[in-house]
Amino acid sequence: MTIRDDLLQVLARRALTEDGARPEAVQRLHERGGRTAREHIAAVVDPGSFVEYGRFVTAAQTDRRSDDELLDRTVADGIVGGVATVDGRSCAVLSYDYLVMAGTQGMRGHVKSDRLIDVIERLRLPTLFFAAGGGGRPGDTDIPVVSALDCTTFAAWARLSGRVPRIAVVDDNCFAGNAVIAGCADLIVACDGSSLGMGGPAMIAGGGLGEVAAADVGPLDVMTANGVVDLAVERDDVDAAARDLLSYFLGPNEEWAAPDQAPLRDAVPEREQVSYDPAPIVETLCDDDTVTWLRPDFAPELFTALGRIEGRTVGLLGNDTRRVAGAITADAGDKAARFLQLCDSAGFPVISLVDTPGMMVGPEAEASGMVRHASRLLIAGAQLSVPLVGVVLRRGYGLGAQAMLGGSTREPLMTLAWPGAHMGAMGLEGAVRLSMRAELAKIADEDERERTVAALTAAMREHSDVLNVARHFEIDDVIDPAQTRGIVARLLAAAAERGRAAGSGRSVDAW
């Protein structure tokens, strides 16, 4: 078959945009552990499903480079993007290309981004964005600019908050404008060897702040501890992790398997003073192998995770008694509030697993801004439009328990408790010491006073047992822990049938 000259020209030009046209550059990137933009995309999307936009674009630098150099060195102006499918479901995928001037953002690249963001908004496509790169590129000359502050990409990308789910992936240095793309996303996945910051080494040095290596600007351990990165993985796993995280936003799974629920009966120690790992509880409640933990190193006294129950994506949060007894700190309030916003925006029902002595108190806690930060959790819970199911595992005390339940035991679609749990306006011993302060002050003997406190606490403990709480209908039911998953699944199915699990469309705070 004869190929027309014009088609041959297109095919030849198209070949120049592929990784095979620059083998030496690809090899250098591979030697430092990186992957090309096209390799990232191919590893995530279904084979043959990627529809690309703007592959023939080159950098706006004709005053500085020849056409041959532009075609060779500025492929796609450093950003590859388009629409595709993952597991047969539509999404958008974009990736800055570290082979093109360290993944920096060119003027035509911004035009491409804007075009794709418009398509994403029109089609409401969940989006994956490989964001690594060095920030804005000052060397473009073909498009006259002075400040370049009229670039619309960042506002357009930020405006998608609440309209489509957006996941950013960072697998290398990610500075300045690239970091803003990551920071405005709903979730950030990063791997070892990545560095994330609002300014790279050149900007830091230019600001008179000294010489800093790129790897030391915002290394992964710093970004996980401060809550910037939601999910940290090994470099070889970053594409699979991004795909898995995106899949939560692409709809229910038809095939699923459930763990044996019987172990839940012994998952929580009887004594309130004994801490325990909540992970087995979450992983038992969810379908097999469907739990992803988010921000585990930030505010570890409160956990957040995504999982599935009978194929439906759910958000799970709860208290981890191994840290500060599961009390809600300022950071925990921020972490939980932002997670509720994410779930509400995406249409994920929320399961709240409560075991908390309440809000953290004291001068040190107040110095962290407790009043404002913890109140964020109450505001986020009160605004939920998706179903919330509360389960009191062992302790549900004070404002902390109310915040975990959306504001009160009446806010969830259903509030459940496990046997042996206790609930009250505050910790029981503290309640005794406060309410009986005058009577206790009259007891001169310290040992006798403490025996009185212990006796009164025991009496209050009996009164605060969840069976008594349920008898007064302050909660909806006390159940066999092995029934929890089944009850939650039926509630969520009823909500889905009535359209009560759709996303709210509210924006999600960056923090």
Side-chain angles (χ1 to χ4, degrees), residues 160-421:
L160 290 180
S161 179
R163 302 185 186 187
V164 299
R166 298 159 305 139
I167 298 169
V169 183
V170 179
D171 73 321
D172 210 315
N173 299 325
C174 184
F175 301 138
N178 295 65
V180 169
I181 292 296
C184 287
D186 301 310
L187 294 167
I188 300 176
V189 182
C191 66
D192 55 302
S194 59
S195 185
L196 187 60
M198 291 305 295
M203 190 177 294
I204 293 169
L209 300 176
E211 300 293 328
V212 179
D216 296 329
V217 173
L220 184 62
D221 60 340
V222 172
M223 293 295 136
T224 54
N226 65 16
V228 169
V229 167
D230 297 279
L231 179 61
V233 297
E234 297 293 329
R235 179 177 290 275
D236 289 344
D237 299 329
V238 70
D239 292 329
R243 180 186 173 108
D244 289 345
L245 197 55
L246 182 67
S247 70
Y248 289 113
F249 299 88
L250 298 179
N253 282 348
E254 299 299 326
E255 298 181 4
W256 50 269
D260 178 14
Q261 299 297 295
L264 292 178
R265 292 171 173 164
D266 299 310
V268 175
E270 292 184 44
R271 292 182 56 218
E272 290 188 359
Q273 293 78 12
V274 178
S275 64
Y276 60 95
D277 184 358
I281 296 175
V282 173
E283 291 169 355
T284 301
L285 287 172
C286 291
D287 300 345
D288 287 338
D289 302 320
T290 63
V291 176
T292 299
W293 303 92
L294 302 177
R295 292 186 178 184
D297 297 328
F298 173 67
E301 59 273 11
L302 184 140
F303 67 81
T304 53
L306 295 177
R308 294 183 184 272
I309 293 181
E310 295 191 355
R312 291 188 179 90
T313 300
V314 297
L316 303 104
L317 78 159
N319 313 106
D320 190 334
T321 59
R322 297 174 297 175
R323 278 85 172 185
V324 295
I328 295 175
T329 62
D331 282 346
D334 284 339
K335 179 179 178 178
R338 207 265 181 176
F339 181 70
L340 290 184
Q341 287 184 342
L342 173 67
C343 291
D344 197 43
S345 176
F348 300 159
V350 178
I351 317 302
S352 181
L353 304 175
V354 183
D355 190 347
T356 181
M359 300 286 190
M360 183 63 76
V361 296
E364 186 176 342
E366 302 311 335
S368 69
M370 273 294 297
V371 172
R372 285 290 196 182
H373 291 282
S375 295
R376 285 192 69 205
L377 177 52
L378 284 158
I379 292 171
Q383 293 180 335
L384 277 179
S385 62
V386 295
L388 168 67
V389 178
V391 184
V392 181
L393 303 182
R394 188 173 61 174
R395 299 165 305 161
Y397 295 139
L399 288 167
Q402 286 181 278
M404 292 293 295
L405 295 168
S408 84
T409 58
R410 298 291 185 220
E411 290 301 314
L413 187 61
M414 193 171 195
T415 301
L416 307 167
W418 284 4

Side-chain angles (χ1 to χ4, degrees), residues 3 21 74 116 184 210 214 253-254 332 410 422 429 436 449 474 501:
I3 300 179
T74 70
L116 279 162
C184 287
N253 282 348
E254 299 299 326
R410 298 291 185 220
H422 292 82
E429 183 177 326
M436 302 295 291
R449 187 187 314 122
E474 294 180 2

Side-chain angles (χ1 to χ4, degrees), residues 16-34:
L16 290 177
T17 68
E18 299 291 341
D19 291 343
R22 37 190 178 161
E24 295 85 1
V26 172
Q27 182 179 352
R28 288 194 297 271
L29 183 62
H30 286 171
E31 287 172 352
R32 60 191 294 267

Side-chain angles (χ1 to χ4, degrees), residues 140 227 337:
D140 288 359

